[in-house]
Amino acid sequence: MNEIKTKIKTFLARFFGNHDLEQDEDIFALGFVNSMFAMQLVLFVEQEFQITIENEDLEFENFRTINSISNLVERKSTVLAPR
């Protein structure tokens, strides 16, 4: 697991108790996510990875799994990377 996924899993684990979340497990389908948690997740991603989540990024698909969140971070970080 890469560093981005490890940080995301560590953050999510604080809220999911004893559930060992898999990288491709749907956190919405598991019933762990409410609107307040979704806002906390977006804020965590922005602060932890120094990226800005735009309105067009706020789709369930971008936040459904550890893998999808990691992919979003990588896409946003690539855009910001100096050329």
Side-chain angles (χ1 to χ4, degrees):
M1 192 178 328
N2 71 26
E3 183 181 350
I4 293 172
K5 290 179 184 177
T6 301
K7 288 180 179 183
I8 294 166
K9 184 171 182 169
T10 301
F11 173 79
L12 294 174
R14 290 189 279 167
F15 298 92
F16 295 175
N18 293 332
H19 184 84
D20 185 22
L21 192 63
E22 298 297 324
Q23 292 183 41
D24 58 355
E25 206 166 2
D26 187 331
I27 62 175
F28 293 96
L30 291 172
F32 287 128
V33 179
N34 60 30
S35 58
M36 182 62 79
F37 177 75
M39 289 172 34
Q40 287 178 292
L41 179 57
V42 170
L43 190 60
F44 162 77
V45 168
E46 287 186 321
Q47 291 177 343
E48 182 68 33
F49 302 106
Q50 302 294 301
I51 60 174
T52 300
I53 302 299
E54 308 291 345
N55 286 340
E56 60 267 19
D57 300 320
L58 294 175
E59 298 178 10
F60 284 124
E61 291 307 315
N62 287 331
F63 294 92
R64 197 171 290 282
T65 66
I66 292 172
N67 287 336
S68 61
I69 299 167
S70 176
N71 290 338
L72 174 65
V73 169
E74 289 172 2
R75 282 195 314 273
K76 299 295 282 187
S77 297
T78 302
V79 169
L80 297 175
R83 291 187 167 32

